[in-house]
Amino acid sequence: MKIFNTLILSFLLVFTGFAQEEAPVEKTLINPTIMVIPFVKENEQLRTVYEREDKLHLRVAVTKVKEAFEHHYMTTVDFRAKLKQLENKAHMTAQNQQSIKQQIIEISGANIYVEVESSIIQDESGNSSTVIVTAYDAFSGQVLATDVGTTTRFYTYNFEKLTEKAVNAFIKEFMYNIRDKFDQIVAEGKTVVVNIGFDENAEIDMDSEMENGELFSDVLEQWFEENAHNAYFHIQGVTATTMILDEVRIPLVDAKGRNYRTTKFAAKLRNFLKKQNLEVTRDVVGTNIFITIN
């Protein structure tokens, strides 16, 4: 009996071990934060277009697209709240109207913004609605997905209902496409461009030999290999005075799930160079990092 119990115990331990080994590793799903905004032409203002009396169908389209993301448990940002936040700032003047959209995108914290264009076609054969949507990576401006929905013609003046019908025609597939693209960005990282140069009074250049015997350009290359997301980077060219990396992948989010900013990666590179006893300045413009060694 004791031998039988021992065999049963051994079997259970082995079975448990296999079960533990075969258990799938759960991956944390990162959901994008999305802001839906109306499409505006050059020299048009977001609020003016959105609030026009004849643009109720546009407001319906924006609302229905936003609601669709929320129903799929994606966090959305209300662009009107961000617009109001901007308007409350003293520097909001007629001179910077062109950059309002970009300012809203930057302060929204959204990973993706979706532009919605809505139009109504009326003629003797009936009325129809067309809604066009385009999703952009808020970080790089890259187009992630685009779609269009057009209703058949109806003898109705309920343009809002027509618009809702046009949105329903594409919204599910549109969201799935965005989800796939976003998951790809999470896995592969987002891209920044890094330009490293030297002040005319700098005492070193890319060909200078460092304390470990390696050229300075080799030391930089090793740092990018260790710090780029998945070690992915591409050097466009190196001269004695310049290194240009036209593609460096950085994480989409940090360990706490917050957006990983370009400035954070630039600061990390700057701190490394300072540890090499180098005086450096850095500038960040959009997705471009400029490092100057003085």
Side-chain angles (χ1 to χ4, degrees):
M1 188 67 177
K2 183 182 293 185
I3 295 175
F4 177 77
N5 288 338
T6 301
L7 288 174
I8 292 296
L9 179 60
S10 300
F11 173 78
L12 289 174
L13 289 173
V14 171
F15 180 80
T16 302
F18 277 122
Q20 289 175 344
E21 289 178 5
E22 295 297 324
V25 178
E26 293 186 3
K27 293 183 179 180
T28 302
L29 181 66
I30 299 175
N31 280 321
T33 298
I34 296 173
M35 181 171 64
V36 183
I37 65 175
F39 170 80
V40 293
K41 298 177 182 178
E42 189 175 354
N43 297 322
E44 289 183 334
Q45 297 181 24
L46 280 171
R47 179 181 287 280
T48 302
V49 171
Y50 188 73
E51 295 183 351
R52 276 172 46 181
E53 290 185 5
D54 61 340
K55 288 291 185 179
L56 178 56
H57 59 89
L58 173 60
R59 295 194 289 278
V60 169
V62 169
T63 299
K64 290 302 176 182
V65 172
K66 183 173 179 289
E67 286 179 351
F69 287 114
E70 292 171 347
H71 290 163
H72 282 74
Y73 307 103
M74 296 187 193
T75 302
T76 61
V77 178
D78 188 345
F79 93 91
R80 293 169 300 175
K82 295 303 174 183
L83 181 60
K84 185 176 181 180
Q85 182 180 336
L86 273 181
E87 290 175 338
N88 288 336
K89 293 184 178 181
H91 69 266
M92 187 76 167
T93 63
Q95 284 69 34
N96 62 20
Q97 290 293 327
Q98 290 293 332
S99 64
I100 289 176
K101 185 179 81 170
Q102 186 58 39
Q103 290 180 62
I104 291 174
I105 293 168
E106 290 174 357
I107 69 172
S108 70
N111 304 113
I112 296 169
Y113 71 93
V114 178
E115 284 189 333
V116 179
E117 184 176 4
S118 175
S119 60
I120 299 295
I121 300 172
Q122 303 180 63
D123 62 29
E124 295 178 353
S125 60
N127 302 325
S128 66
S129 169
T130 297
V131 176
I132 302 172
V133 286
T134 306
Y136 297 88
D137 175 9
F139 181 74
S140 66
Q142 176 187 358
V143 175
L144 301 180
T146 185
D147 217 323
V148 58
T150 300
T151 66
T152 54
R153 297 186 182 277
F154 294 90
Y155 290 104
T156 179
Y157 289 99
N158 190 341
F159 299 144
E160 294 71 47
K161 197 66 178 178
L162 285 177
T163 300
E164 184 176 350
K165 191 176 183 66
V167 171
N168 290 338
F170 64 78
I171 193 63
K172 284 188 178 180
E173 185 176 355
F174 180 65
M175 286 190 298
Y176 292 149
N177 289 337
I178 290 178
R179 175 82 258 178
D180 289 343
K181 288 288 187 179
F182 184 75
D183 289 344
Q184 183 178 342
I185 296 173
V186 171
E188 298 178 358
K190 54 190 180 184
T191 300
V192 297
V193 178
V194 181
N195 297 267
I196 303 174
F198 299 85
D199 181 80
E200 59 182 9
N201 297 318
E203 297 180 356
I204 71 166
D205 60 23
M206 289 295 175
D207 296 330
S208 296
E209 188 172 301
M210 308 302 286
E211 291 182 0
N212 59 6
E214 295 181 333
L215 297 181
F216 181 53
S217 59
D218 295 333
V219 172
L220 284 172
E221 187 171 341
Q222 183 178 348
W223 185 88
F224 282 105
E225 187 172 344
E226 294 173 354
N227 291 274
H229 186 65
N230 294 333
Y232 189 95
F233 66 96
H234 179 262
I235 299 177
Q236 179 178 320
V238 182
T239 67
T241 57
T242 307
M243 175 182 282
I244 300 176
L245 299 97
D246 58 348
E247 186 174 7
V248 179
R249 298 282 176 83
I250 66 174
L252 182 71
V253 295
D254 61 19
K256 295 183 178 180
R258 300 170 301 191
N259 284 343
Y260 188 90
R261 303 180 306 279
T262 309
T263 50
K264 190 171 184 177
F265 186 78
K268 191 175 183 179
L269 175 55
R270 179 176 178 272
N271 290 337
F272 166 74
L273 294 173
K274 289 185 70 175
K275 290 180 180 178
Q276 312 304 310
N277 297 318
L278 298 173
E279 290 295 327
V280 300
T281 56
R282 65 107 181 96
D283 291 294
V284 178
V285 181
T287 59
N288 291 272
I289 299 172
F290 299 90
I291 299 289
T292 303
I293 298 172
N294 300 315

